[in-house]
Amino acid sequence: SDKYAHHLHQIFVQYDTSGDGAISRSEFQDMLASTDVRKSFEKLGLDMDEVTALFTVLSSDDGCADYEEFLHGALKMNSSARTIDSVQVAHTLMKITRDVAAVADDINLIKVNTGTKTPQDRVSRADDGNQTNADTSNVNMMKTALASSFDAE
């Protein structure tokens, strides 16, 4: 576990080009572009889809994942298929929620453009200005589920 943590820390430090102790989305993309890093993750038993899902969940609030939370998540992922599944399900749920919101917006735009939008549609969509709150709620739900699966081990 110490060797695993040390190797992961080396990768993390190498790609934390800003030196702030966290990996941003652009730093993460640079990390994944490296064949050596991809091979290192494979040697550590981490699938690239799993690493991406972990980063997505961890960075959803501020766009960054710090080393400690990334290491903790990676260690748990390496030792628990259930945790990996939880991260992937949570990530998929977040994407589906955003897709549904986009479809609803498209439908309302069509209604507006065709003149078929009803007064109730206008009220319900006016109240739906809370999409950001819904996204935040989904992210918080995913973090809670992920934390619960970590605590269960």
Side-chain angles (χ1 to χ4, degrees), residues 20 61 103:
D20 62 358
D61 57 346
V103 168

Side-chain angles (χ1 to χ4, degrees), residues 1 11 25 40 78:
S1 180
I11 293 169
R25 283 184 189 2
S40 292
N78 191 21

Side-chain angles (χ1 to χ4, degrees), residues 21-95:
I23 296 291
S24 68
R25 283 184 189 2
S26 64
E27 290 169 332
F28 183 73
Q29 289 172 348
D30 291 343
M31 182 188 295
L32 293 185
S34 166
T35 304
D36 289 339
V37 169
R38 295 173 77 83
K39 287 179 183 178
S40 292
F41 281 143
E42 285 178 28
K43 286 180 185 176
L44 294 172
L46 296 172
D47 178 80
M48 293 313 299
D49 289 336
E50 296 164 352
V51 171
T52 301
L54 175 64
F55 180 82
T56 300
V57 170
L58 296 177
S59 66
S60 62
D61 57 346
D62 61 1
C64 295
D66 69 44
Y67 170 70
E68 291 299 322
E69 66 183 350
F70 192 83
L71 174 63
H72 183 72
L75 285 170
K76 290 296 182 176
M77 281 184 6
N78 191 21
S79 65
S80 172
R82 192 169 41 93
T83 301
I84 294 166
D85 290 343
S86 296
V87 169
Q88 289 175 330
V89 167
H91 178 67
T92 300
L93 176 63
M94 188 168 75
K95 285 173 54 177

